[in-house]
Amino acid sequence: MKKTKLLRYSHSKLNRVVWHYAELEKVGDGVYTYLQQKDQYREEDDMIAIVLQLENVFFEQGTYSRRYLSGQNITAAGTEFLANFHRNIEQTIREGRHLQLLFVRIYEELGRDAAPLIRYREERQLRLQQEAEERERRKEDQRRQAEEQQREHLRQAGNRFLAGEFISCEDFIGLCKFEQIPIPIRTHGTLHRSVSELSRNSIRYGCTKGKASPKLDGCFALVEALYEKLSKTTDSNSR
């Protein structure tokens, strides 16, 4: 059987339209199929390509499994696709949606003016890139603002801690990390499990009924280390 030359997307290079040759089986006016990939275990998992003919141009519309295509009216769907081909392109452009490169190539092979389609794709790609960059800028601004707010929050918590007030365990851990004071794993567990607030001279904690109170030696050591570090920082900033 004679093979037909058709347009389709490359299977090896992303977003590239290439020529392909295949033996087509006609299933309707301008609608064809061919076996693209045979499944070695189940026939219903064979991949079948749908090929449409627009004037003298053949192109691959899509690839589906036999299972999916069973019960589908391929001829009716293909005929409708062809009948609305140019109208759908115009609507796609009006609505600012993605315009397939394959359709541009079809226009070129039909001898139609594809320049507006090419220009639309380029302008849309540029717009999407600009929008993505703007989203990244906004995200970066939000991240910087969040970091600045967190630094200010920790600065205020540090001032309260230096003044002898209680601060939350979360703020205490945050200050230790900010001041690069290492927290031993066991102490970190005690802080998360049992401690609610800490001050220069006291630690508020909870314990499960029937169990011994948590050992806070490591926590008090961290309190001393943080107090000393914050005091030095304050002294150096006041000079």
Side-chain angles (χ1 to χ4, degrees), residues 75-227:
T75 302
T79 301
E80 182 181 1
F81 189 94
L82 291 170
N84 295 305
F85 183 81
H86 300 296
R87 188 182 304 115
N88 286 339
I89 288 180
E90 294 171 358
Q91 185 174 355
T92 295
I93 293 175
R94 283 199 306 271
E95 296 176 356
R97 294 185 283 113
H98 170 64
L99 179 65
Q100 292 189 42
L101 178 61
L102 176 63
F103 296 164
V104 177
R105 285 293 308 275
I106 292 171
Y107 257 49
E108 291 173 340
E109 293 303 320
L110 289 173
R112 299 175 67 104
D113 183 11
L117 277 60
I118 296 172
R119 185 166 56 251
Y120 168 78
R121 280 174 51 85
E122 292 173 347
E123 291 174 351
R124 182 176 182 274
Q125 180 62 30
L126 178 60
R127 184 179 73 252
L128 292 176
Q129 182 179 344
Q130 292 172 340
E131 291 173 355
E133 291 173 352
E134 179 59 28
R135 284 194 299 272
E136 284 301 316
R137 281 194 292 271
R138 288 198 298 269
K139 188 184 299 184
E140 180 63 20
D141 287 344
Q142 292 170 355
R143 185 190 64 79
R144 283 198 296 265
Q145 290 174 9
E147 287 182 352
E148 181 59 34
Q149 290 172 357
Q150 178 65 7
R151 282 195 294 269
E152 176 60 21
H153 175 81
L154 289 178
R155 187 188 67 79
Q156 293 178 7
N159 289 340
R160 295 198 306 273
F161 183 77
L162 284 173
E165 300 178 21
F166 279 98
I167 62 173
S168 71
C169 182
E170 181 181 358
D171 286 344
F172 179 81
I173 293 174
L175 281 168
C176 287
K177 290 181 178 179
F178 186 78
E179 295 294 342
Q180 298 182 340
I181 300 173
I183 304 176
I185 295 177
R186 183 173 295 180
T187 303
H188 201 283
T190 301
L191 287 168
H192 273 293
R193 285 193 306 270
S194 306
V195 176
S196 57
E197 292 182 313
L198 306 92
S199 72
R200 171 75 173 86
N201 301 307
S202 182
I203 296 177
R204 290 173 177 168
Y205 64 90
C207 59
T208 305
K209 186 177 181 180
K211 291 189 176 182
S213 299
K215 294 183 179 180
L216 301 176
D217 294 352
C219 298
F220 277 113
L222 279 179
V223 166
E224 289 301 320
L226 179 61
Y227 184 83

